[in-house]
């Protein structure tokens, strides 16, 4: 809308000493001819926009003019608190709201502080996805995010396993409470409606095949009343810990050197490693500490403990000890 564009133009000029027509056109995503017409419209409306002619010319506000159109809308205020994660904002469809919010804040600041957003961006950047993994944005994320922000009930088709295995999708009616981005993967925290299985659960967004709003009696989307005691960070921390614990289904007994004790949390589950070391007795006569470590499986433990090299000796199970011994002998032969 032109009115929103004119307001944005005033805020841009208020936050900077001057801007060229090309800079304004780029920020407003219009042509330079449109910028000229908008500047004329603002001037006719009483906003003191002054145009400097020539190659180094541009537009600026004169007379210390300051607009009061800096109040944040709810969506802009909410998006502002997420502005440290621009990729996530873009994926959820909130990039425009965040941009408008940042611009309003910048316009309200003293001139000496207006470069704060730029200096902060040069000193901190969040790169959420893990190494060596190409992040994939679920196609349905914007629709789910809209329901989360609007407290709207959703009907979803969800796969419990990957696309090529597992049972057929199940249909659920969900009250979507919050979104979590973990190592490049999006999750939805939601309360299940109806049935004995109701309660808060976590769903991977890339396993949701379909989503649609649940219609209310009036024809619009049905809304829900949020539980004010629900704490998304606390809920996620608890579920993440439960998930990590559930993966550790096996145990191995390992003798570690001092360096092995120090490096164990770096190659295995950190919490499990610290618990194993804390529960271990003192070092034996050879200076080795014996720990009982919870692991995901013998296969995973083989790869993890192999990284410790001579700083770890597996005592049990016997099969894992034999595999590591074979790997050590093969490596010794390779480097002989």
């Amino acid at each position: 809308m032109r009115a929103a564009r004119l307001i944005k133009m005033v805020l841009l000029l208020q936050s900077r000493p001057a801007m060229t027509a090309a800079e304004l056109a780029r920020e407003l995503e219009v042509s330079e001819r449109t910028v000229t017409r908008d500047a004329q419209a603002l001037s006719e409306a009483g906003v003191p926009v002054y145009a400097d002619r020539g190659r180094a010319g541009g537009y600026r506000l004169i007379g210390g003019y300051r607009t009061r159109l800096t109040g944040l809308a709810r969506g802009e205020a909410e998006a502002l608190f997420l502005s440290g994660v621009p990729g996530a904002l873009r994926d959820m469809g909130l990039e425009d709201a965040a941009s408008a919010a940042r611009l309003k804040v910048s316009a309200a600041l003293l001139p000496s502080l207006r470069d704060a957003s730029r200096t902060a961006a040069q000193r901190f950047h969040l790169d959420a996805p893990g190494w060596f993994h190409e992040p994939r944005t679920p196609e349905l994320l914007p629709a789910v995010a809209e329901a989360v922000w609007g407290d709207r009930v959703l009907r979803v088709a969800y796969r419990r396993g990957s696309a090529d295995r597992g049972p057929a999708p199940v249909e659920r009616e969900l009250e979507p409470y919050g979104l979590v981005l973990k190592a490049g993967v999006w999750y939805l925290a939601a309360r299940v409606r109806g049935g004995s299985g109701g309660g808060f659960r976590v769903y991977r967004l890339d396993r949701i095949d379909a989503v649609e709003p649940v219609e209310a009696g009036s024809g619009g989307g049905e809304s829900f009343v949020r539980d004010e005691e629900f704490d998304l960070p606390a809920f996620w921390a608890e579920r993440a810990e439960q998930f990590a614990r559930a993966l550790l289904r096996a145990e191995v007994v390992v003798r570690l050197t001092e360096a092995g004790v120090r490096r164990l949390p770096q190659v295995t589950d950190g919490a499990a490693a610290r618990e194993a070391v804390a529960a271990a007795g003192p070092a034996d006569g050879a200076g080795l500490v014996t720990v009982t470590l919870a692991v995901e499986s013998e296969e995973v433990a083989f790869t993890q403990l192999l990284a410790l090299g001579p700083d770890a000796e597996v005592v049990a199970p016997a099969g894992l000890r034999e595999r590591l011994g074979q790997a050590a002998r093969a490596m010794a032969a390779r480097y002989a």
Side-chain angles (χ1 to χ4, degrees):
M1 296 177 60
R2 191 187 186 199
R5 189 175 72 244
L6 293 175
I7 292 173
K8 186 174 182 179
M9 184 174 180
V10 173
L11 293 173
L12 284 168
L13 293 175
Q14 183 173 312
S15 64
R16 307 179 193 181
M19 295 183 70
T20 66
E23 290 172 336
L24 283 168
R26 184 167 57 252
E27 290 282 353
L28 299 173
E29 299 181 348
V30 296
S31 66
E32 293 186 31
R33 186 185 296 268
T34 299
V35 169
T36 301
R37 289 198 297 264
D38 286 352
Q40 180 65 31
L42 287 171
S43 180
E44 292 173 355
V47 179
V49 178
Y50 180 78
D52 291 316
R53 306 297 179 184
R55 295 180 59 186
Y59 294 90
R60 59 186 175 87
L61 295 174
I62 60 175
Y65 178 85
R66 296 184 66 80
T67 177
R68 295 185 178 182
L69 298 173
T70 53
L72 295 180
R74 169 171 288 275
E76 295 169 347
E78 291 171 338
L80 183 62
F81 286 101
L82 297 173
S83 59
V85 282
L89 280 169
R90 182 177 59 255
D91 294 344
M92 289 188 291
L94 297 174
E95 189 173 28
D96 289 343
S99 176
R102 288 193 296 268
L103 187 58
K104 289 182 178 181
V105 170
S106 178
L109 292 174
L110 294 172
S112 60
L113 300 177
R114 286 177 186 161
D115 65 342
S117 61
R118 181 185 62 80
T119 56
Q122 295 303 318
R123 287 162 174 79
F124 175 76
H125 174 71
L126 176 63
D127 186 7
W131 290 105
F132 313 118
H133 294 281
E134 185 67 24
R136 296 181 180 178
T137 302
E139 293 182 5
L140 299 176
L141 174 59
V144 174
E146 183 179 356
V148 168
W149 293 113
D151 296 338
R152 299 294 182 180
V153 182
L154 289 177
R155 182 178 294 110
V156 305
Y158 185 75
R159 286 178 284 106
R160 290 194 177 95
S162 61
D164 56 351
R165 60 183 176 85
V170 295
E171 189 173 282
R172 292 282 187 271
E173 281 194 10
L174 304 177
E175 296 177 355
Y177 268 66
L179 289 164
V180 176
L181 178 60
K182 170 71 172 179
V185 179
W186 285 93
Y187 297 88
L188 171 67
R191 182 158 57 184
V192 184
R193 278 196 156 191
S196 59
F200 288 102
R201 297 184 182 178
V202 175
Y203 298 87
R204 277 186 61 145
L205 257 68
D206 57 6
R207 292 181 181 173
I208 295 179
D209 289 341
V211 58
E212 63 178 4
V214 174
E215 298 297 329
S218 59
E222 182 180 351
S223 61
F224 66 92
V225 178
R226 297 179 68 91
D227 181 351
E228 295 300 328
E229 295 184 359
F230 178 79
D231 185 331
L232 180 59
F235 170 79
W236 176 258
E238 179 183 354
R239 290 305 173 92
E241 183 179 357
Q242 290 176 357
F243 176 75
R245 294 279 183 183
L247 290 177
L248 306 179
R249 303 185 182 95
E251 286 187 346
V252 297
V253 180
V254 190
R255 299 174 72 210
L256 300 168
T257 65
E258 183 179 347
V261 170
R262 188 169 57 250
R263 294 174 55 204
L264 188 64
Q266 301 171 11
V267 300
T268 65
D269 180 81
R274 287 187 289 272
E275 288 183 6
V277 171
D284 59 20
L288 301 177
V289 175
T290 301
V291 302
T292 301
L293 176 69
V295 295
E296 184 174 344
S297 65
E298 288 189 25
E299 185 66 31
V300 172
F302 171 77
T303 303
Q304 293 174 335
L305 297 175
L306 188 62
L308 293 180
D311 289 318
E313 176 194 354
V314 171
V315 178
L320 179 59
R321 177 181 175 87
E322 178 58 27
R323 283 192 64 188
L324 284 165
Q326 291 174 355
R329 289 189 290 273
M331 186 174 292
R334 180 77 66 186
Y335 284 96

